[in-house]
């Protein structure tokens, strides 16, 4: 499945800046958001061994993600969470005080830097709520971000008609 809804969300809410993308998400992200937002990885790139080793270190948490994000000016982390290569990183981002989960569905997760180019959007979507623990009523959907137990999912009111609304906290 393609991360169509996640890209729609980023466009609708006005998120800007370069993005960490995993292999599975990078091609679609590039199609939808390049050149306004440059992804770090996609299957079409001319990647050398150094790039691939760096990606591997970051996704396995052997290299600090915040240093990687600063090096490439990343404001967004956009990942298909069914990929084994991103589960550790998604778990780390969900617990990082520097990043906030702004989108989650059956295909993708999107994190944004709390302070940075999208800080105003993050604050608008979740004003002063901090981390809200919300789980999907469907236990199968909770496996999407293993090994996380509880995380915050936020979206704008424009998504309130979604079937999986219970997965999200909708804020003004």
């Amino acid at each position: 499945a393609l991360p169509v809804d996640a890209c729609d969300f980023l466009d609708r809410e006005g998120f800007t800046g370069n993005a960490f993308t995993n292999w599975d998400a990078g091609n679609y992200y590039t199609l939808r958001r390049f050149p306004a937002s440059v992804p770090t990885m996609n299957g079409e790139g001319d990647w050398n061994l150094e790039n691939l080793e760096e990606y591997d270190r970051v996704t396995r948490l052997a290299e600090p993600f915040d240093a990687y994000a600063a090096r490439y000016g990343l404001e967004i982390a956009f990942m298909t969470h069914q990929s084994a290569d991103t589960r550790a990183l998604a778990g780390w981002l969900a617990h990082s005080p520097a990043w906030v989960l702004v989108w989650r569905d059956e295909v993708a997760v999107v994190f944004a830097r709390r302070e940075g180019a999208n800080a105003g959007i993050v604050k608008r979507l979740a004003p002063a709520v901090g981390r809200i623990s919300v789980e999907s009523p469907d236990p199968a959907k909770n496996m999407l971000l293993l090994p996380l137990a509880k995380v915050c999912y936020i979206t704008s009111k424009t998504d309130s008609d979604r079937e999986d609304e219970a997965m999200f906290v909708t804020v003004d």
Side-chain angles (χ1 to χ4, degrees):
L2 297 173
V4 175
D5 291 341
C7 279
D8 289 347
F9 167 78
L10 290 173
D11 292 343
R12 182 177 60 249
E13 298 298 338
F15 280 87
T16 62
N18 296 337
F20 171 86
T21 55
N22 67 312
W23 279 106
D24 294 344
N27 286 350
Y28 187 76
Y29 188 92
T30 301
L31 175 71
R32 287 286 305 271
R33 304 204 79 224
F34 182 84
S37 177
V38 179
T40 57
M41 185 66 63
N42 68 47
E44 301 293 323
D46 183 18
W47 303 110
N48 60 38
L49 184 57
E50 184 178 321
N51 296 122
L52 297 174
E53 288 174 344
E54 181 181 46
Y55 175 83
D56 183 59
R57 286 190 311 271
V58 168
T59 57
R60 287 185 302 107
L61 306 178
E63 178 179 328
F65 183 77
D66 284 336
Y68 178 83
R71 187 165 50 251
Y72 293 105
L74 304 180
E75 297 290 335
I76 300 164
F78 185 96
M79 299 174 277
T80 53
H81 48 69
Q82 298 295 337
S83 299
D85 67 330
T86 56
R87 287 191 177 172
L89 180 57
W92 184 87
L93 287 166
H95 291 93
S96 170
W99 294 84
V100 62
L101 180 63
V102 295
W103 178 265
R104 172 194 175 205
D105 64 12
E106 290 82 5
V107 179
V109 289
V110 180
F111 295 88
R113 282 191 40 226
R114 285 185 189 275
E115 302 299 326
N118 299 303
I121 298 169
V122 169
K123 288 176 182 150
R124 177 175 49 82
L125 291 174
V129 295
R131 285 225 150 50
I132 302 169
S133 295
V134 178
E135 291 184 347
S136 168
D138 179 353
K141 291 181 181 178
N142 288 328
M143 68 178 233
L144 298 176
L145 275 177
L146 287 177
L148 303 179
K150 294 183 179 185
V151 293
C152 171
Y153 329 120
I154 60 176
T155 186
S156 68
K157 282 196 171 203
T158 57
D159 288 328
S160 62
D161 60 343
R162 294 177 51 87
E163 287 180 0
D164 53 353
E165 178 181 0
M167 290 174 59
F168 299 94
V169 174
T170 303
V171 296
D172 292 327

